[in-house]
Structures are given as structure tokens and as C-alpha cells.
């Protein structure tokens, strides 16, 4: 709509803006506590995650040139499938037949949605599926490289550490792919209002996630995500005038049910794990109290014998 098909440049603007604001929030205003991280840990853990994130953003933003907003949203329903498959591959997830059947049902729903897409573009689909694959790998690598080492990054600290790294990685393809074209485009003038508000939205999203996770539960986060998906499709159809066919909606409906069931199963497993942890802590506490009482009892009996 703005006739500015430069996804790498847009992503770099986002990353530089978000990194700057994250720096101010952490180092200047001290609103968020930083995470202690050594140089070796940064190079071995954050840099690979930053590389995957830059590839995911680059491909995802590029897909918007070829596909509608609504169809991209439908393709993103494959995210749990990609995360589970890569998790099994890296042995972070256990293989279960019922989960795999659920993953296949999500894939089947997305395939129906793709079949009913009015403006299907093969290259756009390849870009978006590539973005999903890189993003899923990034999420699994966060578990392997950071969570397993006891390091937890919220969206603000994540931007602080990862955004500069992303900017550097995106600089390489930008120099060869977009910079020569931008250099020849003499008619372009940087609109600070358009790109400024765009960057503010990008940062506000991460800030909203940070506040939402801090104030509510994972269930609320999942419900909010579901509402966002349907609102985006409705917005795409009503405002941008994208074509959304009945087959599109039927296929996405099937995929949506599969994703909702998967999220529900994950939450139930998480609740069961937390309940088991609390029970174990209660048993440990009870055992310690019993030992203390037995120790007091033996002390009193020895005094009476004296």
C-alpha cells in the first residue's frame, strides 16, 4: 500500500529502534532488571538465536509482498507443528502418537486453507514456511541454549540482547540485496511519521507481551493470541479488502481447533507438573517437620533419663 517493498530495511529499522528503547529501559531508567551474561555465553547462546530470529523476520516480512495478511495468518497456524517436530528432532519433546495425529490435523486444515486461497503465490508460501521453520528452531534453541542454563529473558531483555545481534546479521544481505536498489531510488524520502509510528508499534507489541505475561497467566496469553488471529483475518477482509473464501475459513477453522487442543494439552500438562512439584515440596516440608519433632522427642527422653 505504501509501495516500499524493502523488508530487510524495515526489519533493521525495527531492530535499531527496539534495541535503543530497550537500552534506555534497562540501563538508563532501570525499569527492567538486566540479566547477568558473560561474553562467552552471549557468543555461544544469544548470537545463534539472533541469527535465526533475523532470518525469521526477514522471510516473514518478505512474504507480505506476495501474500494477503489473512492467508499469512492461516499459514502461521503451522507454528506448533514446526516447534513440536523440531523439538522431537532435538530430543526436547517426547514423541506421542496422539500429538502427532493432532499435528497432522493442523497441517491438513492449513492445506485446505491454502487450496481455497484466491491469491495463492508459491514463492510467498515458501518464504512464510521458511519463516515458520526458522522461528520454530529459534524457540527450541532458546530452550537448549538459555532455559537449560537457568537464563530467562523477558521480551524487553530479549530485545536488549538479541536486537543488536539481529541488526548486524541483517546488514549483510541488506548491503547486497536492498542497498543497491535503494541507492537508485532517488524518489524515496524517509517519512519519520510513518516509520516512527511503525517502530513504536513493533516495540509496543513486545512491551505488551512483557506486561501481559507479568500480570496474567499462560492461559490468558493463549486466549489473547487466538483473539488476535481472528481479528487480523477480519481486519484483512474488512479494511485491506483481502479476499477470504469459505474454503479458507473452513481450513483455518480445522487448523484452529487443532492448535486450541494442543495449547489446552500443554497447559494441562504444565498444571499437572506444577501440582506435582507442589506436592513434592509439601511432602519434603512434612518430612522435615517430622524429623525435627522426632529429634525434639529423643532430646526430651534423654533428659528425663538423666
Amino acid at each position: 500500500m505504501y509501495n516500499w517493498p524493502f523488508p530487510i530495511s524495515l526489519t533493521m529499522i525495527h531492530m535499531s529502534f527496539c534495541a535503543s528503547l530497550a537500552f534506555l529501559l534497562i540501563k538508563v531508567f532501570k525499569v527492567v532488571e538486566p540479566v547477568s551474561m558473560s561474553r562467552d555465553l552471549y557468543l555461544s547462546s544469544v548470537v545463534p538465536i539472533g541469527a535465526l530470529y533475523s532470518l525469521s523476520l526477514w522471510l516473514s516480512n518478505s512474504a507480505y509482498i506476495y501474500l494477503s495478511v489473512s492467508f499469512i495468518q492461516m499459514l502461521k497456524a503451522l507454528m506448533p507443528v514446526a516447534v513440536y517436530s523440531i523439538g522431537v528432532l532435538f530430543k526436547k519433546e517426547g514423541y506421542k502418537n496422539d500429538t502427532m495425529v493432532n499435528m497432522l490435523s493442523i497441517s491438513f486444515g492449513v492445506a485446505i486453507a491454502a487450496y481455497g486461497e484466491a491469491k495463492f503465490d508459491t514463492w510467498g508460501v515458501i518464504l512464510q514456511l521458511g519463516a515458520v521453520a526458522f522461528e520454530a528452531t529459534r524457540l527450541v534453541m532458546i530452550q537448549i541454549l538459555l532455559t537449560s542454563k537457568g537464563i530467562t529473558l523477558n521480551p524487553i531483555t530479549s530485545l536488549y540482547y538479541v536486537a543488536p545481534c539481529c541488526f548486524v546479521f541483517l546488514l549483510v544481505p541488506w548491503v547486497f540485496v536492498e542497498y543497491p536498489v535503494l541507492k537508485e531510488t532517488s524518489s524515496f524520502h524517509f517519512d519519520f511519521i510513518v516509520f516512527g509510528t511503525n517502530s513504536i508499534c513493533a516495540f509496543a507489541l513486545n512491551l505488551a507481551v512483557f506486561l501481559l505475561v507479568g500480570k496474567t497467566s499462560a492461559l490468558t496469553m493463549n486466549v489473547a493470541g487466538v483473539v488476535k488471529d481472528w481479528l487480523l483475518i477480519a481486519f484483512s477482509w474488512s479494511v485491506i479488502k483481502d479476499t477470504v473464501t469459505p474454503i479458507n475459513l473452513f481450513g483455518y477453522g480445522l487448523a484452529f481447533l487443532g492448535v486450541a487442543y494442543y495449547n489446552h494439552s500443554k497447559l494441562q500438562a504444565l498444571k499437572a507438573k506444577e501440582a506435582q512439584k507442589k506436592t513434592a515440596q509439601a511432602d519434603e516440608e512434612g518430612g522435615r517437620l517430622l524429623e525435627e519433632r522426632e529429634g525434639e522427642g529423643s532430646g526430651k527422653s534423654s533428659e528425663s533419663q538423666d
Side-chain angles (χ1 to χ4, degrees):
M1 293 173 75
Y2 191 65
N3 194 28
W4 199 72
F6 301 103
I8 306 175
S9 302
L10 182 65
T11 310
M12 287 173 69
I13 292 168
H14 285 174
M15 290 297 103
S16 57
F17 183 84
C18 290
S20 302
L21 277 186
F23 177 83
L24 289 173
L25 285 174
I26 292 172
K27 291 293 185 182
V28 179
F29 299 111
K30 301 188 185 300
V31 176
V32 183
E33 284 293 321
V35 178
S36 58
M37 189 177 296
S38 65
R39 185 185 172 187
D40 290 340
L41 184 63
Y42 184 85
L43 291 172
S44 62
S45 300
V46 176
V47 169
I49 291 167
L52 290 166
Y53 194 36
S54 61
L55 286 167
S56 170
L57 290 171
W58 173 17
L59 297 183
S60 181
N61 285 340
S62 299
Y64 283 96
I65 299 171
Y66 306 96
L67 303 174
S68 66
V69 173
S70 55
F71 186 45
I72 285 174
Q73 210 55 40
M74 294 174 189
L75 290 174
K76 283 182 180 179
L78 287 170
M79 185 60 73
V81 180
V83 171
Y84 178 73
S85 302
I86 293 168
V88 170
L89 189 67
F90 283 98
K91 296 180 179 178
K92 294 301 293 182
E93 292 274 359
Y95 177 84
K96 294 178 183 176
N97 287 328
D98 56 342
T99 306
M100 186 51 71
V101 169
N102 187 22
M103 297 297 110
L104 290 172
S105 71
I106 296 170
S107 304
F108 182 64
V110 172
I112 293 173
Y115 177 76
E117 175 59 21
K119 296 177 181 177
F120 186 89
D121 186 282
T122 306
W123 179 238
V125 171
I126 290 169
L127 286 172
Q128 185 55 44
L129 292 179
V132 168
F134 282 121
E135 178 63 10
T137 308
R138 181 183 78 89
L139 293 173
V140 174
M141 292 306 285
I142 285 172
Q143 279 186 300
I144 295 170
L145 298 175
L146 293 177
T147 311
S148 61
K149 295 172 185 174
I151 298 169
T152 306
L153 298 178
N154 63 50
I156 306 300
T157 51
S158 181
L159 283 175
Y160 175 74
Y161 289 109
V162 176
C165 184
C166 276
F167 183 88
V168 173
F169 276 115
L170 289 167
L171 196 60
V172 178
W174 180 78
V175 168
F176 296 103
V177 179
E178 292 187 2
Y179 176 67
V181 182
L182 281 166
K183 199 176 178 182
E184 297 297 320
T185 312
S186 56
S187 60
F188 173 73
H189 297 287
F190 192 87
D191 191 326
F192 283 95
I193 294 174
V194 170
F195 288 100
T197 51
N198 193 275
S199 299
I200 288 168
C201 284
F203 183 79
L205 170 64
N206 288 281
L207 186 62
V209 170
F210 169 64
L211 295 171
L212 184 68
V213 170
K215 301 287 183 182
T216 61
S217 64
L219 178 61
T220 308
M221 186 71 189
N222 281 317
V223 171
V226 168
V227 173
K228 179 212 69 175
D229 293 343
W230 285 105
L231 282 175
L232 267 173
I233 292 170
F235 178 85
S236 172
W237 171 73
S238 61
V239 180
I240 308 177
K241 305 299 179 185
D242 283 337
T243 304
V244 180
T245 66
I247 298 175
N248 266 153
L249 292 175
F250 176 72
Y252 182 65
L254 284 178
F256 162 74
L257 289 173
V259 172
Y261 177 74
Y262 176 72
N263 285 337
H264 174 72
S265 301
K266 292 287 281 185
L267 282 170
Q268 291 299 110
L270 189 65
K271 285 179 181 177
K273 191 175 180 180
E274 285 178 357
Q276 191 177 8
K277 190 177 179 181
K278 284 180 181 177
T279 305
Q281 285 176 345
D283 289 343
E284 188 179 338
E285 185 70 23
R288 197 169 70 249
L289 287 170
L290 187 64
E291 285 177 6
E292 286 175 1
R293 285 174 184 173
E294 286 177 353
E296 286 174 5
S298 63
K300 285 179 182 178
S301 62
S302 62
E303 284 174 11
S304 61
Q305 284 176 3
D306 292 342

